[in-house]
Amino acid sequence: MADRVHPVKTPDPAMPDAAESPRSTTSSKTGGLPARKPGPEPGTYVIQVPKDVVLRQPLPGNAHLSKVYARRAARRRSRCCLCITWLFALVLLLAVAAGFLYLVFRPRAPNYAVTGLSISSFNLTAATVSPVFDVTVRADNDRNMKMGIYYSDASDITAAYDGVTLCEGKWPAFYQPPRNETVFVTELRGAGISLGADVERRLRAAQSEGKVPLEVNVEVPVRVKLGAMKSWTIKVTVKCEVTVDGLRENAVILNRDCHARVKFWGFLGL
């Protein structure tokens, strides 16, 4: 009996091999290059605008708002310039007025001095001291021919040794006219002052030597009178270094040096 022969199906050359993967098919079509990104759809366009044009040129719908904001900024700059101009004019006017007052009144700071010092109740053997200082002060306004001074009672006078405050008091309130010299006595009191071992030792040594250096500091608010005008309240600070022969009544002043400082905003040369 003869064998049966089955026909063999030949592959179509136009069809790709089924064993090939889609990736290899694509690579063969593109020549081995990667696939490109899909482009824009038909009927659409991509326009690139420079950044400076985007920032400087508003959209047509915002042109009105841009003009409004520009006008507001211009008005704001105009007001600022006007304020600066007025401020400069005011400062210039004040400077001219100050110069005129200085030329007319020629103000000078008064001279101050401690001319007497009497010390009592200063017992160095006690644990604490409660001294009493009677300080004689001379305020000399003789250099000012047209300037008077109102002294306020809201003042402070202290006497100290080596930075330790010993007693406190007040500057009396009074008016000092031009070309005037006023001498007054004010009482300073201290209570329960602890000196410390080092300060007490140095004070005993100075007492034995007969040269006790003391500091008298004054802060007093004043008002200056120039003709019919009165200034605002300003502060006068006086610092005096006084050396006496001992801590006793009617002590002899061996040396004294006082410096006054008047803060008047730099006006009138004070």
Side-chain angles (χ1 to χ4, degrees):
M1 184 174 179
D3 294 335
R4 184 178 296 176
V5 179
H6 299 278
V8 179
K9 188 177 180 180
T10 59
D12 190 356
M15 296 296 293
D17 189 1
E20 293 183 357
S21 63
R23 184 172 182 179
S24 61
T25 305
T26 306
S27 300
S28 62
K29 291 182 179 180
T30 57
L33 297 177
R36 297 183 179 178
K37 295 182 179 180
E41 298 180 0
T44 60
Y45 300 93
V46 177
I47 302 176
Q48 294 183 355
V49 181
K51 186 184 295 184
D52 57 347
V53 176
V54 175
L55 297 177
R56 296 180 183 177
Q57 297 183 5
L59 297 176
N62 297 335
H64 176 68
L65 292 177
S66 178
K67 292 180 180 179
V68 172
Y69 293 151
R71 285 196 296 267
R72 289 181 181 177
R75 284 196 295 266
R76 195 177 297 112
R77 287 193 297 268
S78 178
R79 292 171 186 167
C80 183
C81 293
L82 183 61
C83 291
I84 294 176
T85 302
W86 277 106
L87 181 61
F88 178 77
L90 180 61
V91 172
L92 182 61
L93 181 62
L94 291 176
V96 171
F100 175 77
L101 292 176
Y102 178 80
L103 292 176
V104 172
F105 294 100
R106 296 286 181 177
R108 296 289 187 273
N111 292 323
Y112 302 95
V114 175
T115 59
L117 191 59
S118 183
I119 304 171
S120 60
S121 302
F122 208 125
N123 186 7
L124 288 176
T125 60
T128 60
V129 296
S130 300
V132 178
F133 283 36
D134 290 329
V135 183
T136 303
V137 180
R138 183 181 72 236
D140 186 3
N141 194 34
D142 186 65
R143 297 195 301 169
N144 291 298
M145 301 181 63
K146 299 180 181 180
M147 187 186 78
I149 302 174
Y150 289 92
Y151 293 96
S152 172
D153 57 355
S155 58
D156 186 25
I157 304 179
T158 61
Y161 172 79
D162 199 12
V164 178
T165 300
L166 302 175
C167 48
E168 299 178 351
K170 295 293 183 181
W171 184 288
F174 64 94
Y175 170 70
Q176 187 175 26
R179 304 298 301 271
N180 174 265
E181 180 180 305
T182 301
V183 178
F184 62 88
V185 179
T186 183
E187 185 181 75
L188 313 182
R189 286 185 171 272
I193 307 299
S194 179
L195 298 178
D198 293 339
V199 175
E200 182 179 351
R201 184 176 63 254
R202 289 193 294 270
L203 186 56
R204 287 179 180 274
Q207 174 84 344
S208 301
E209 188 180 356
K211 294 180 180 180
V212 181
L214 299 172
E215 303 168 5
V216 178
N217 299 319
V218 180
E219 287 188 359
V220 54
V222 303
R223 296 183 66 186
V224 176
K225 181 180 180 183
L226 299 173
M229 298 179 297
K230 292 182 182 179
S231 72
W232 52 87
T233 301
I234 58 179
K235 182 176 289 187
V236 175
T237 302
V238 183
K239 294 185 177 182
C240 295
E241 296 180 356
V242 182
T243 302
V244 295
D245 64 346
L247 302 173
R248 61 182 181 85
E249 295 184 357
N250 299 322
V252 177
I253 297 178
L254 304 177
N255 187 23
R256 62 191 176 197
D257 185 19
C258 293
H259 298 279
R261 184 180 181 186
V262 184
K263 278 292 185 180
F264 201 58
W265 286 8
F267 276 26
L268 310 179
L270 293 179

